[in-house]
Amino acid sequence: YLKEVGGYRTHLVGKWHLGHFHESHLPLERGFDTFYGFYSGFTGAFHHTSELTACAEERDCYYDLRDGWEPAGEALAGESHYNMYLFEDEVAKIINHYGESDESTPFFLYYAMSNVHEPIEVPEAYLEREEVIQKLADIPNVQRRHFAAMTMIVDDAVQNLTSCLRSNELYDETIIIIASDNGAASVIAGSGSNLPLRGMKGYLWEGGVRVHAMVRSSSIPTHLRGKTYDGLFHVTDWMPTIFGMIGSSHALKQLVPSQAGGYLDGYNHWGAILAGHSRSPRSTLLHNLDYLYSNVTSEWYTTGAIRSGDFKLLRGVQYLPVWELPQSENRSDYEAGGVYADGGAGGEDWYNTVPTDYLYNVTADPTETTDLKAQYPEIFAQLNELMDEYVATMAPTAYCGSVMDKQARKVFNETQFIGPWVTEDDFVCPKGNYSSTNATYDDQLSEEEQDAMRSAVEIDVSSALQFMAQYTAEMCLYHLLPDSAC
C-alpha cells in the first residue's frame, strides 16, 4: 500500500516469521524491496541457527540468515557476528543511502529486532564493560542480568538509529514507531517479566497480550508530546493509523476495494491521538480463537478471548499465575515464582488446571484478579454470543503438519539453510493430514512421535476435526500447548 500510495521504498531488517514454505510468502514477494534477516521465529544470536533452543529435540537445526534471496554465508562464525550488530550495520547502510542520495524517495523501514527474544545470549565483551557491570550489579538473578544486557543493546541500537537519521538530516521528517508483539516469556528460556500482569507470552491473559508502544513524530503538537494514549488498540490498527499520520487515509480507502474486498480489520487512531483523548475508534477486540481437543475429557472446545469496552471474556483457558521476579541465582526461581490471586503458590501447577471461562473488567482490574461472570451474567452471555459469531465464521487453518517434514528437510539439507521447499503454486496439504486411510509419516520421526500422529488421525470425527486432532497432537509434540491440553 505504501508503495502504491506514496512511492515508498520498503525495507525489512530482522525477523520475518510470516511463512517461508513457498516463495510467495517471503518478504521480497510481500511488498519489501530489500530483506536482511531470518525467516523463523528466532535464531541463535551468534551462529544464526533457526529456533536454536528447540531444534535439537525436533532434529531440524539449520541456519537461518538471508540477504535478499541468498543465504548470508559470510555471517556464520564468531562473536563479531552477533545478530543485533549485523542488523545495526544493515540499518545504517539503508539510512546512509537515503542521506547521501539526491533523490527524495520516501522509505519505510520495518526493523524487527531479535532482542529480547530467546535465546538469552549476550557477547562476552559487552558483559565485561565496566559501565555494563555497574548497571547490572543490583540484579540478583543471572538470567535477568543477561536479559537486561540484551535490553541495553536494544537501547544502543535505537540510539544508533536516531543518530544516523540526525547525521543524514532525516530525523525531523521521520516517523518512528516502537511496538512490541507480545508479552514476555516468564520462564528461564525467555527470562522476561510481565509484573504486575498475569500470565505470559503465548497465553491470553493481559501479561501475554497487553504491550507498550511509542510514536515519535514532528507532526505531534508540542502540548501532546510525552502524553499517553489509552485507547483500545490492536496490531491491525497500525496500517490505517500510519496512513493517517502521512495524510493518506483517503488514498488507502481507494486502494482497499480492489485488493481486499473493501474491508480492513484495522482502525485509524491518528485523529483520536491528535485530539488528546483516549476515545478509541475501536470498541471491540478479538484476541484469539481456536479449537482444541482435550484428551482428558475427549471433547472439542473453543478457547479464546475477546474484549469489549472495559470487559474481557476468556473462554476455555487455564488460570495462570502472576510471576514474581526471581530473587536469587537459583535457575528454578522462575518456575517457583508464580503467585495466584488467592496468595497460593503458582510455579508449574497451572499446567494441570482445567480450562475455564472468566470475565474481568480489565480497565479497573488489569491484573485479572476478580472474576465477574457471576456478578454480571448478562455481559458474560453477551460476550459469549459475540465470540460464537466469530466461531461460526472461522476459516480453516492452512497448517500442513509434520507429514511435510521429509520434503522440507531434503531442501534444507542442500544448503543447510531453511527456506521455501514447495514449488507448486496450486499447492494443497497432503491428504495424510486429515484422512486415516491415506496417512503418511515422516520416516525421521521416532516411533513414539509417529504413534502420536496416528492416534490423532484415527479419531472418528469429521475430516476437519481429524485435522484439528492432528494439529493438537503436533502442538503437544513440540511442547507448544500446556500438558492439560495434551
Side-chain angles (χ1 to χ4, degrees):
Y1 289 125
L2 283 169
K3 292 166 75 72
E4 293 193 43
V5 169
Y8 280 73
R9 291 275 294 169
T10 53
H11 309 275
L12 167 55
V13 175
K15 176 176 175 176
W16 176 238
H17 204 207
L18 287 170
H20 58 271
F21 84 98
H22 189 278
E23 281 192 0
S24 63
H25 287 249
L26 301 180
L28 297 181
E29 290 290 336
R30 301 288 289 175
F32 287 98
D33 294 312
T34 68
F35 168 61
Y36 185 90
F38 54 96
Y39 291 151
S40 61
F42 60 94
T43 64
F46 297 108
H47 297 290
H48 316 290
T49 304
S50 173
E51 306 201 348
L52 177 66
T53 53
C55 70
E57 184 176 359
E58 298 170 12
R59 296 190 301 286
D60 59 358
C61 291
Y62 298 94
Y63 292 123
D64 186 10
L65 186 67
R66 297 268 172 169
D67 186 353
W69 295 108
E70 300 302 318
E74 75 282 0
L76 298 176
E79 192 159 303
S80 61
H81 296 299
Y82 186 64
N83 55 12
M84 278 298 298
Y85 297 161
L86 292 172
F87 299 153
E88 286 187 64
D89 289 345
E90 186 67 18
V91 165
K93 188 190 308 179
I94 292 169
I95 295 173
N96 287 333
H97 166 76
Y98 288 100
E100 296 165 0
S101 173
D102 292 333
E103 59 182 277
S104 58
T105 305
F107 70 93
F108 172 77
L109 168 63
Y110 174 36
Y111 188 6
M113 298 182 184
S114 50
N115 286 18
V116 291
H117 201 289
E118 68 170 284
I120 306 303
E121 295 182 328
V122 187
E124 284 296 327
Y126 189 86
L127 291 171
E128 292 169 358
R129 295 182 187 178
E130 186 59 36
E131 70 274 16
V132 173
I133 293 173
Q134 292 178 7
K135 286 183 178 180
L136 301 179
D138 293 333
I139 302 175
N141 178 271
V142 63
Q143 285 81 32
R144 291 291 293 164
R145 285 199 296 276
H146 287 184
F147 185 94
M150 290 177 72
T151 309
M152 292 163 63
I153 290 172
V154 170
D155 261 356
D156 294 342
V158 173
Q159 182 180 26
N160 292 342
L161 179 147
T162 55
S163 297
C164 192
L165 287 169
R166 284 192 170 98
S167 65
N168 284 285
E169 298 183 351
L170 295 171
Y171 182 77
D172 288 340
E173 59 194 86
T174 299
I175 297 169
I176 299 174
I177 297 171
I178 298 177
S180 182
D181 53 353
N182 47 250
S186 306
V187 293
I188 291 172
S191 303
S193 172
N194 300 306
L195 201 69
L197 300 179
R198 185 171 307 282
M200 64 174 171
K201 171 184 177 176
Y203 298 88
L204 297 171
W205 301 89
E206 291 295 277
V209 300
R210 179 184 291 218
V211 296
H212 297 295
M214 188 199 81
V215 174
R216 183 269 157 205
S217 171
S218 298
S219 63
I220 297 175
T222 305
H223 72 280
L224 289 177
R225 297 178 187 180
K227 303 295 184 181
T228 300
Y229 175 68
D230 292 320
L232 187 62
F233 196 104
H234 185 258
V235 65
T236 57
D237 298 336
W238 278 121
M239 187 174 75
T241 300
I242 289 171
F243 274 82
M245 293 177 186
I246 64 174
S248 297
S249 294
H250 180 71
L252 177 63
K253 291 177 182 177
Q254 298 282 38
L255 279 179
V256 171
S258 62
Q259 297 192 13
Y263 176 77
L264 282 178
D265 291 305
Y267 291 84
N268 176 10
H269 291 251
W270 193 234
I273 292 171
L274 292 183
H277 60 66
S278 293
R279 291 192 294 277
S280 170
R282 173 184 290 281
S283 60
T284 302
L285 189 159
L286 179 69
H287 287 293
N288 199 42
L289 188 57
D290 267 318
Y291 275 114
L292 291 180
Y293 181 80
S294 171
N295 287 335
V296 176
T297 64
S298 299
E299 293 178 339
W300 287 88
Y301 65 96
T302 54
T303 178
I306 192 166
R307 168 88 178 265
S308 182
D310 296 328
F311 286 90
K312 176 182 174 183
L313 168 72
L314 294 105
R315 177 191 286 183
V317 301
Q318 293 174 295
Y319 187 64
L320 267 63
V322 175
W323 273 273
E324 302 285 352
L325 291 174
Q327 297 300 320
S328 75
E329 293 286 18
N330 187 346
R331 288 174 61 86
S332 66
D333 255 13
Y334 266 105
E335 273 62 23
V339 177
Y340 288 110
D342 59 6
E348 293 183 343
D349 293 345
W350 66 272
Y351 281 140
N352 301 312
T353 59
V354 176
T356 309
D357 299 348
Y358 300 92
L359 178 70
Y360 296 97
N361 181 331
V362 287
T363 302
D365 179 22
T367 59
E368 296 167 301
T369 301
T370 306
D371 183 8
L372 300 173
K373 63 177 177 287
Q375 187 174 345
Y376 296 103
E378 300 88 357
I379 296 175
F380 182 67
Q382 289 168 4
L383 288 179
N384 270 293
E385 288 176 9
L386 184 56
M387 185 168 281
D388 287 340
E389 293 176 10
Y390 280 109
V391 171
T393 60
M394 283 177 68
T397 175
Y399 177 75
C400 287
S402 65
V403 294
M404 295 189 65
D405 282 1
K406 188 174 182 179
Q407 184 181 353
R409 286 172 175 156
K410 181 180 179 181
V411 173
F412 297 171
N413 286 336
E414 293 175 2
T415 63
Q416 292 302 306
F417 281 76
I418 71 166
W421 67 90
V422 170
T423 56
E424 304 94 330
D425 290 334
D426 56 351
F427 170 82
V428 293
C429 291
K431 287 183 178 180
N433 279 6
Y434 24 76
S435 169
S436 59
T437 59
N438 294 310
T440 58
Y441 302 98
D442 186 346
D443 57 12
Q444 294 192 43
L445 294 178
S446 68
E447 260 184 57
E448 179 183 347
E449 292 166 340
Q450 292 189 29
D451 286 343
M453 298 301 104
R454 290 191 184 95
S455 65
V457 297
E458 287 165 3
I459 294 172
D460 186 22
V461 289
S462 72
S463 62
L465 294 188
Q466 283 181 354
F467 173 82
M468 286 307 301
Q470 174 161 341
Y471 177 71
T472 301
E474 295 191 0
M475 295 286 279
C476 292
L477 173 64
Y478 298 124
H479 311 297
L480 298 174
L481 287 175
D483 291 352
S484 63
C486 302

